[in-house]
Amino acid sequence: MNEDSADTERHNGRIRRLTDKGFGFIQDVDGDIYFSSADVVSVRNEDLREGQIVTYTIEAGPKGRVAKNVTPL
């Protein structure tokens, strides 16, 4: 993936960690990916749980990969 572009392909991963500050991390084959509660669709961030499988797209953020359009499966 080009670091300056968005990846429109959907990926699957597992929520590794959720915080009470409105963000979390998804574990996928290439390591952890940051996501914000603003990027969760279909459910509220409070309805997510660690270990849950989600689908998402990936964009380049200031500190690495960022998950967007996070949707539980």
Side-chain angles (χ1 to χ4, degrees):
M1 178 177 77
N2 180 336
E3 289 299 317
D4 295 328
S5 66
D7 180 359
T8 58
E9 179 183 347
R10 301 293 295 178
H11 300 269
N12 292 336
R14 184 177 309 271
I15 297 177
R16 184 182 66 79
R17 182 171 170 230
L18 292 170
T19 71
D20 57 359
K21 296 181 180 182
F23 66 90
F25 297 91
I26 298 169
Q27 181 179 21
D28 79 352
V29 295
D30 294 323
D32 287 349
I33 303 172
Y34 169 87
F35 74 95
S36 168
S37 61
D39 297 313
V40 176
V41 290
S42 303
V43 299
R44 297 176 309 153
N45 194 51
E46 296 81 21
D47 295 330
L48 296 175
R49 65 186 186 287
E50 291 180 358
Q52 187 171 21
I53 304 294
V54 292
T55 183
Y56 51 92
T57 58
I58 298 174
E59 291 184 12
K63 295 183 180 180
R65 300 179 309 149
V66 177
K68 300 288 185 177
N69 302 308
V70 177
T71 308
L73 290 179

